[in-house]
C-alpha cells in the first residue's frame, strides 16, 4: 500500500467539516488542444482506496476527454466555504475507459463506479452527444442503461496528485503550505507566505 500524502489528512478534515453536498464539487482545469486552459465543475467521487488518487467520472464524448488524451496534466481547485480553505491539486490525469485492458485494476474500479451511480446519473451517459448543437428531435426520454455494465462512453478519470497548494484563509496572517511529490513518491512540504 502507498503511504498517504501529508496533505491527505487536511483534505479529509475539510471534507468532514464541510459536509454539504456542494462541498463535493470542485473545478478541474485541463489544457485545450490550442494550449488554452479549459475549466469546469465536476463531482468528487472519492479516493482510490488506500491511495492519494482522486476519482472523477466523465463522458468520453466530452471535450475534456480529448484534451486529457493529448495532455494529461490537470489541476483541481477546491474551495471549502465553511472552513474557508482552498486546495489546488495538480497532477496527471488517467483515463479509464472501454479500451483500458480488463486485467488493469482500474477497469474493475470503472465497473464498480458505474454500478454505484444513481440511475439519473447513469442516464446522462445515454443522452445525445454533449456539447453538440441542440436538435429538437433529440430524445432525452431514453430507457435506463444496464446498471451492471458501463456504457462505452462512460469514463473514470483519476487524478494522480503531484503538487498541492493548501491555503487557509482563517487566521491572521493566513496560512499556506506547498506540498510536492518527488520521483520516488516522497512528499515534502514547505510553509510559504499566503
Ligand atoms: C455542479 C456540477 C457538477 C458537475 N459534475 C460533472 C462531473 O462529475 N463530470 C463531468 O464530466 N461533468 C460534470 N459537470 C458538467 C461540467 O461542468 C461540464 O459542463 C461538462 O463536463 C462538459 O465539459 P467539457 O466540455 O469541458 O468536457 C458538472 C457541472 C456542474 C455545474
Amino acid at each position: 500500500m502507498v503511504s498517504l500524502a501529508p496533505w491527505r489528512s487536511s483534505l479529509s478534515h475539510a471534507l468532514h467539516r464541510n459536509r454539504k453536498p456542494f462541498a463535493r464539487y470542485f473545478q478541474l482545469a485541463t489544457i485545450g488542444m490550442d494550449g488554452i486552459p479549459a475549466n469546469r465543475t465536476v463531482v468528487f467521487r472519492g479516493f482510490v482506496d488506500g491511495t492519494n488518487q482522486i476519482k472523477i467520472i466523465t463522458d468520453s464524448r466530452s471535450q475534456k476527454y480529448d484534451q486529457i488524451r493529448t495532455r494529461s496534466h490537470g489541476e483541481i481547485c477546491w474551495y471549502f466555504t465553511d472552513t474557508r480553505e482552498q486546495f489546488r491539486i495538480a497532477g496527471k490525469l488517467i483515463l479509464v475507459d472501454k479500451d483500458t485492458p480488463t486485467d488493469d485494476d482500474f477497469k474493475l474500479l470503472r465497473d464498480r463506479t458505474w454500478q454505484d451511480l444513481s440511475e439519473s446519473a447513469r442516464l446522462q451517459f445515454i443522452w445525445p452527444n454533449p456539447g453538440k448543437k441542440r436538435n429538437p428531435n433529440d430524445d432525452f426520454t431514453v430507457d435506463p442503461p444496464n446498471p451492471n455494465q458501463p456504457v462505452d462512453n462512460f469514463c473514470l478519470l483519476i487524478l494522480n496528485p503531484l503538487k498541492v497548494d493548501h491555503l487557509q484563509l482563517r487566521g491572521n496572517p493566513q496560512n499556506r503550505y506547498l506540498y510536492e511529490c518527488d520521483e520516488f513518491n516522497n512528499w515534502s512540504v514547505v510553509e510559504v507566505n499566503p
Side-chain angles (χ1 to χ4, degrees), residues 25 30 38-45 56-59 61-65 67 125 130-131:
Y25 301 149
T30 50
N39 198 5
R40 79 287 289 161
T41 307
V42 291
V43 179
F44 171 61
R45 300 274 169 187
I56 302 163
I57 60 167
T58 198
D59 192 316
R61 300 172 298 173
S62 69
Q63 305 269 299
K64 71 181 90 44
Y65 178 87
Q67 291 163 355
F125 287 88

Side-chain angles (χ1 to χ4, degrees), residues 90-113:
K92 291 281 194 101
L93 288 156
I94 302 164
L95 295 164
V96 187
D97 61 13
K98 68 171 177 41
D99 298 325
T100 303
T102 35
D103 58 355
D104 189 316
D105 286 348
F106 283 150
K107 186 75 163 195
L108 254 176
L109 191 58
R110 173 178 178 260
D111 290 352
R112 262 197 282 133
T113 309

Side-chain angles (χ1 to χ4, degrees), residues 37-79:
N39 198 5
R40 79 287 289 161
T41 307
V42 291
V43 179
F44 171 61
R45 300 274 169 187
F47 293 99
V48 177
D49 279 351
T51 76
N52 303 314
Q53 295 170 321
I54 291 172
K55 290 188 286 180
I56 302 163
I57 60 167
T58 198
D59 192 316
S60 63
R61 300 172 298 173
S62 69
Q63 305 269 299
K64 71 181 90 44
Y65 178 87
D66 290 332
Q67 291 163 355
I68 296 163
R69 254 164 61 122
T70 312
R71 287 168 163 165
S72 61
H73 283 281
E75 185 173 286
I76 282 172
C77 189
W78 203 347
Y79 180 59

